[in-house]
């Protein structure tokens, strides 16, 4: 039996099916630029207090949907929950980035690393079920994880980094240890995404936020191969319904032709990529195989006045061009997003201009 797919515009676009307009959602759409998010976070006391409380996580996931006509919800959580469950001790100090109590730097650290018991992440799967219920099919829910490489960056550095010195030192001097970390991460991420799908996630996204810091050659060996290892294990359908998968490598534009071989449905791209060229490279033809594309407005555009935002949004839509319109077969499609997460300094009212322009202009493009 062929898996069915839903009628949601976002899911259809992920599966390269024709839609009446281009769907839009924003990376980090639930976050500090929204005063209501800051209020809930203050009640929760800390970021992890927010993410581990099912009611709070549900509340903040829905906040951006109540303000804007977004076409998808994304689970409120963080990519670093997985290394936290491995026992590394995650914390977020106010105004600072993430930090781990323990880092993974040597043979002994790697030897004690293992795929965590998924019960330690039960709070995430409970949040997925709760959000699905609260959404009442308004829009689909995206689950997510970090890529094995991006998680390894945080695990080895022990925090965010500007130069990736420790993780690259390990990669170049002890590639055997690096491969072992990446194998464990890949299997952990696959189990984590499958548990999110079983709890109700309708699409999944892999954030390879730091793939783009790798040299050509190292990217293929240490990032892409392990993203492929995750995808080989992730469920493609659940309860007879197709579950699309999205891979986003920030700074990965030059590797799109190689990423086209990944067993995923959508490739996310940042603002350095021309969507028309990306469409030629990986978007495929009507009736043929290919990847849907997601992206790629520079988040800093949202600091400009609303009429400038509208102009930049139209230019992103126009660079992709007219999405295919054949309802009997698949073809090139676009999901509008930013090229990276929305900044905490974004004026919330500016996001209206983005969402409204995407919907309006993309309907016009199809006529
Ligand atoms: O998109 C959403 O609305 C869903 C929630 C989400 C968060 N983090 C919440 C969050 C998602 C999808 C993420 C992914 C994530 N987390 C990534 C991949 C995407 C990307 O941005 O490249 C990465 C690298 C992380 C790691 C992480 N978490 C960092 C570097 C930080 C601090 C950065 C900052 O903006 O301060 C976080 C914390 C975090 N995760 C916040 C939010 C809303 C802000 C923390 C707070 O409220 O105190």
């Amino acid at each position: 039996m062929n898996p069915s797919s839903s009628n949601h515009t976002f899911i259809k676009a992920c599966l390269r099916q024709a839609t009446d307009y281009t769907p839009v959602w924003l990376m980090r759409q639930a976050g500090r630029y929204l005063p209501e998010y800051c209020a809930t976070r203050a009640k929760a006391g800390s970021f992890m207090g927010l993410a581990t409380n099912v009611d709070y996580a549900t509340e903040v996931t829905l906040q951006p949907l109540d303000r804007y006509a977004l076409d998808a919800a994304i689970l409120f959580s963080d990519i670093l929950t997985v290394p936290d469950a491995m026992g590394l001790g995650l914390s977020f100090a106010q105004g600072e980035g993430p930090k781990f109590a323990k880092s993974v730097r040597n043979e002994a650290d790697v030897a004690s690393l293992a795929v965590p018991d998924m019960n330690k992440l039960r709070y995430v799967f409970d949040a997925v079920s709760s959000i699905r219920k609260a959404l009442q099919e308004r829009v689909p829910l995206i689950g997510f994880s970090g890529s094995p490489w991006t998680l390894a960056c945080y695990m080895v550095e022990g925090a965010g980094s500007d130069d990736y010195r420790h993780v690259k030192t390990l990669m170049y001097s002890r590639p055997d240890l690096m491969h072992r970390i990446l194998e464990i991460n890949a299997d952990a991420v696959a189990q984590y995404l499958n548990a999110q799908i079983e709890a109700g996630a309708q699409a999944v996204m892999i954030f390879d936020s730091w793939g783009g810091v790798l040299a050509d050659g190292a990217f293929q060996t240490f990032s892409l191969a392990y993203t492929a290892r995750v995808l080989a294990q992730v469920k493609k359908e659940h309860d007879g319904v197709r579950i699309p998968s999205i891979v986003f490598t920030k700074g990965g534009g030059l590797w799109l032709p190689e990423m086209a071989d990944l067993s995923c449905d959508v490739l996310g791209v940042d603002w350095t990529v021309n969507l028309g060229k990306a469409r030629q490279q990986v978007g495929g033809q009507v009736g043929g195989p290919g990847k849907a594309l997601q992206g790629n407005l520079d988040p800093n555009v949202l600091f400009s006045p609303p009429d400038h935002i509208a102009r930049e949004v139209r230019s992103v839509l126009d660079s992709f061009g007219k999405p295919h319109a054949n309802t009997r077969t698949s073809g090139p499609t676009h999901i509008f997003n930013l090229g990276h997460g929305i900044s905490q300094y974004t004026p919330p009212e500016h996001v209206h201009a983005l969402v409204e322009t995407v919907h309006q202009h993309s309907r016009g493009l199809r006529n």
Side-chain angles (χ1 to χ4, degrees), residues 84-117:
D84 184 55
M86 290 172 173
L88 300 187
L90 175 64
S91 61
F92 290 91
Q94 185 92 47
E96 285 172 48
K99 230 184 149 79
F100 284 110
K102 279 195 260 176
S103 57
V104 181
R105 296 262 169 98
N106 57 38
E107 189 129 23
D109 295 339
V110 176
S112 63
L113 209 61
V115 174
D117 178 352

Short mmCIF file of all heavy atoms in Angstrom, two decimals, residues 84-117:
data_model
loop_
_atom_site.label_atom_id
_atom_site.label_comp_id
_atom_site.label_asym_id
_atom_site.label_seq_id
_atom_site.Cartn_x
_atom_site.Cartn_y
_atom_site.Cartn_z
N ASP A 84 23.11 16.03 26.24
CA ASP A 84 22.73 16.13 27.65
C ASP A 84 22.32 14.74 28.17
O ASP A 84 22.77 14.32 29.24
CB ASP A 84 21.58 17.13 27.82
CG ASP A 84 21.20 17.36 29.27
OD1 ASP A 84 22.09 17.70 30.06
OD2 ASP A 84 20.00 17.19 29.61
N ALA A 85 21.51 14.03 27.37
CA ALA A 85 21.07 12.68 27.78
C ALA A 85 22.24 11.69 27.80
O ALA A 85 22.17 10.65 28.45
CB ALA A 85 19.97 12.18 26.83
N MET A 86 23.32 12.01 27.10
CA MET A 86 24.53 11.16 27.15
C MET A 86 25.32 11.42 28.43
O MET A 86 26.38 10.82 28.63
CB MET A 86 25.44 11.46 25.94
CG MET A 86 24.88 10.98 24.62
SD MET A 86 25.92 11.59 23.25
CE MET A 86 25.20 10.71 21.84
N GLY A 87 24.84 12.35 29.25
CA GLY A 87 25.47 12.59 30.55
C GLY A 87 26.46 13.74 30.58
O GLY A 87 27.23 13.87 31.53
N LEU A 88 26.42 14.63 29.55
CA LEU A 88 27.41 15.71 29.51
C LEU A 88 27.02 16.95 30.33
O LEU A 88 27.84 17.84 30.53
CB LEU A 88 27.72 16.10 28.06
CG LEU A 88 28.30 14.99 27.17
CD1 LEU A 88 28.72 15.54 25.82
CD2 LEU A 88 29.49 14.28 27.82
N GLY A 89 25.75 17.01 30.79
CA GLY A 89 25.36 18.09 31.70
C GLY A 89 25.23 19.44 31.04
O GLY A 89 26.08 20.32 31.17
N LEU A 90 24.09 19.64 30.34
CA LEU A 90 23.85 20.89 29.59
C LEU A 90 23.30 21.98 30.50
O LEU A 90 22.44 21.73 31.33
CB LEU A 90 22.82 20.58 28.48
CG LEU A 90 22.30 21.75 27.64
CD1 LEU A 90 23.43 22.38 26.83
CD2 LEU A 90 21.18 21.28 26.72
N SER A 91 23.80 23.20 30.32
CA SER A 91 23.14 24.35 30.97
C SER A 91 23.21 25.57 30.04
O SER A 91 24.08 25.66 29.18
CB SER A 91 23.81 24.67 32.30
OG SER A 91 25.16 25.01 32.09
N PHE A 92 22.26 26.46 30.21
CA PHE A 92 22.23 27.72 29.46
C PHE A 92 22.19 28.83 30.49
O PHE A 92 21.19 28.99 31.18
CB PHE A 92 20.96 27.83 28.62
CG PHE A 92 20.89 26.89 27.45
CD1 PHE A 92 20.31 25.63 27.59
CD2 PHE A 92 21.37 27.26 26.21
CE1 PHE A 92 20.22 24.76 26.51
CE2 PHE A 92 21.28 26.39 25.13
CZ PHE A 92 20.72 25.15 25.27
N ALA A 93 23.27 29.58 30.60
CA ALA A 93 23.24 30.74 31.48
C ALA A 93 22.56 31.88 30.72
O ALA A 93 22.74 31.98 29.50
CB ALA A 93 24.64 31.14 31.89
N GLN A 94 21.77 32.70 31.42
CA GLN A 94 21.08 33.83 30.78
C GLN A 94 22.07 34.71 30.01
O GLN A 94 23.09 35.12 30.57
CB GLN A 94 20.37 34.66 31.87
CG GLN A 94 19.52 35.80 31.33
CD GLN A 94 18.07 35.37 31.11
OE1 GLN A 94 17.46 34.74 31.96
NE2 GLN A 94 17.52 35.70 29.95
N GLY A 95 21.75 34.98 28.76
CA GLY A 95 22.59 35.87 27.97
C GLY A 95 23.85 35.21 27.41
O GLY A 95 24.61 35.83 26.70
N GLU A 96 24.10 33.95 27.77
CA GLU A 96 25.26 33.23 27.22
C GLU A 96 24.77 32.05 26.40
O GLU A 96 23.63 31.68 26.47
CB GLU A 96 26.14 32.71 28.36
CG GLU A 96 26.97 33.77 29.03
CD GLU A 96 27.65 33.21 30.26
OE1 GLU A 96 28.24 32.13 30.17
OE2 GLU A 96 27.55 33.85 31.31
N GLY A 97 25.66 31.45 25.67
CA GLY A 97 25.31 30.27 24.89
C GLY A 97 25.27 29.03 25.76
O GLY A 97 25.43 29.10 26.97
N PRO A 98 25.07 27.88 25.14
CA PRO A 98 25.03 26.60 25.87
C PRO A 98 26.41 26.20 26.40
O PRO A 98 27.43 26.57 25.82
CB PRO A 98 24.56 25.61 24.80
CG PRO A 98 24.88 26.25 23.49
CD PRO A 98 24.84 27.71 23.69
N LYS A 99 26.40 25.44 27.47
CA LYS A 99 27.64 24.97 28.09
C LYS A 99 27.45 23.55 28.60
O LYS A 99 26.37 23.21 29.11
CB LYS A 99 27.91 25.87 29.32
CG LYS A 99 29.31 26.44 29.37
CD LYS A 99 29.50 27.23 30.66
CE LYS A 99 30.95 27.13 31.07
NZ LYS A 99 31.80 28.03 30.31
N PHE A 100 28.48 22.72 28.46
CA PHE A 100 28.43 21.37 29.03
C PHE A 100 29.35 21.28 30.23
O PHE A 100 30.45 21.85 30.23
CB PHE A 100 28.84 20.33 28.00
CG PHE A 100 27.77 20.06 26.97
CD1 PHE A 100 27.92 20.45 25.65
CD2 PHE A 100 26.60 19.42 27.35
CE1 PHE A 100 26.92 20.22 24.72
CE2 PHE A 100 25.59 19.19 26.43
CZ PHE A 100 25.75 19.58 25.11
N ALA A 101 28.92 20.54 31.27
CA ALA A 101 29.76 20.32 32.45
C ALA A 101 30.97 19.47 32.07
O ALA A 101 32.07 19.68 32.59
CB ALA A 101 28.94 19.64 33.54
N LYS A 102 30.77 18.50 31.14
CA LYS A 102 31.86 17.62 30.69
C LYS A 102 32.04 17.76 29.20
O LYS A 102 31.05 17.91 28.47
CB LYS A 102 31.50 16.16 30.97
CG LYS A 102 31.73 15.70 32.39
CD LYS A 102 31.69 14.18 32.46
CE LYS A 102 30.34 13.69 32.96
NZ LYS A 102 30.17 12.25 32.97
N SER A 103 33.27 17.70 28.71
CA SER A 103 33.48 17.67 27.27
C SER A 103 34.11 16.33 26.89
O SER A 103 34.52 15.56 27.76
CB SER A 103 34.35 18.84 26.83
OG SER A 103 35.57 18.80 27.53
N VAL A 104 34.17 16.06 25.57
CA VAL A 104 34.68 14.78 25.07
C VAL A 104 35.96 15.08 24.29
O VAL A 104 35.90 15.60 23.18
CB VAL A 104 33.62 14.12 24.14
CG1 VAL A 104 34.12 12.78 23.63
CG2 VAL A 104 32.29 13.96 24.87
N ARG A 105 37.11 14.79 24.89
CA ARG A 105 38.37 15.23 24.27
C ARG A 105 39.37 14.10 24.02
O ARG A 105 40.26 14.24 23.21
CB ARG A 105 39.07 16.26 25.18
CG ARG A 105 38.30 17.55 25.37
CD ARG A 105 38.78 18.65 24.43
NE ARG A 105 37.89 19.78 24.45
CZ ARG A 105 38.08 20.89 25.17
NH1 ARG A 105 39.15 21.00 25.93
NH2 ARG A 105 37.20 21.87 25.12
N ASN A 106 39.27 13.01 24.80
CA ASN A 106 40.33 11.99 24.70
C ASN A 106 39.74 10.59 24.62
O ASN A 106 38.52 10.40 24.64
CB ASN A 106 41.29 12.12 25.89
CG ASN A 106 40.53 11.99 27.22
OD1 ASN A 106 39.60 11.20 27.34
ND2 ASN A 106 40.93 12.79 28.20
N GLU A 107 40.64 9.62 24.54
CA GLU A 107 40.27 8.21 24.37
C GLU A 107 39.29 7.75 25.47
O GLU A 107 38.30 7.08 25.18
CB GLU A 107 41.56 7.38 24.40
CG GLU A 107 41.37 5.96 24.04
CD GLU A 107 42.37 5.50 22.96
OE1 GLU A 107 43.45 6.11 22.80
OE2 GLU A 107 42.02 4.54 22.28
N ALA A 108 39.58 8.12 26.72
CA ALA A 108 38.73 7.68 27.83
C ALA A 108 37.34 8.30 27.74
O ALA A 108 36.33 7.63 27.98
CB ALA A 108 39.40 8.04 29.16
N ASP A 109 37.29 9.59 27.36
CA ASP A 109 35.98 10.26 27.20
C ASP A 109 35.16 9.55 26.14
O ASP A 109 33.95 9.34 26.30
CB ASP A 109 36.16 11.72 26.75
CG ASP A 109 36.87 12.59 27.78
OD1 ASP A 109 36.88 12.23 28.97
OD2 ASP A 109 37.42 13.65 27.38
N VAL A 110 35.80 9.19 25.03
CA VAL A 110 35.08 8.56 23.92
C VAL A 110 34.64 7.15 24.32
O VAL A 110 33.52 6.73 24.01
CB VAL A 110 35.95 8.53 22.63
CG1 VAL A 110 35.24 7.77 21.51
CG2 VAL A 110 36.27 9.95 22.18
N ALA A 111 35.50 6.45 25.06
CA ALA A 111 35.17 5.08 25.48
C ALA A 111 33.93 5.05 26.36
O ALA A 111 33.18 4.07 26.36
CB ALA A 111 36.36 4.45 26.20
N SER A 112 33.69 6.12 27.12
CA SER A 112 32.53 6.09 28.02
C SER A 112 31.27 6.67 27.37
O SER A 112 30.22 6.76 28.00
CB SER A 112 32.86 6.83 29.32
OG SER A 112 33.11 8.19 29.03
N LEU A 113 31.37 7.01 26.08
CA LEU A 113 30.22 7.58 25.37
C LEU A 113 29.35 6.46 24.79
O LEU A 113 29.88 5.47 24.30
CB LEU A 113 30.77 8.44 24.22
CG LEU A 113 29.96 9.63 23.74
CD1 LEU A 113 29.75 10.64 24.85
CD2 LEU A 113 30.68 10.28 22.56
N ALA A 114 28.02 6.63 24.87
CA ALA A 114 27.13 5.61 24.29
C ALA A 114 25.83 6.25 23.86
O ALA A 114 25.48 7.35 24.31
CB ALA A 114 26.86 4.52 25.32
N VAL A 115 25.08 5.55 23.00
CA VAL A 115 23.73 5.99 22.63
C VAL A 115 22.92 6.04 23.91
O VAL A 115 22.87 5.05 24.65
CB VAL A 115 23.10 5.01 21.62
CG1 VAL A 115 21.64 5.37 21.34
CG2 VAL A 115 23.90 4.99 20.31
N PRO A 116 22.30 7.17 24.24
CA PRO A 116 21.59 7.26 25.53
C PRO A 116 20.28 6.46 25.52
O PRO A 116 19.72 6.21 24.46
CB PRO A 116 21.29 8.75 25.68
CG PRO A 116 21.28 9.29 24.28
CD PRO A 116 22.22 8.44 23.48
N ASP A 117 19.85 6.09 26.70
CA ASP A 117 18.54 5.48 26.88
C ASP A 117 17.49 6.54 26.50
O ASP A 117 17.48 7.64 27.08
CB ASP A 117 18.42 5.10 28.37
CG ASP A 117 17.06 4.50 28.70
OD1 ASP A 117 16.16 4.52 27.82
OD2 ASP A 117 16.90 4.04 29.85
#
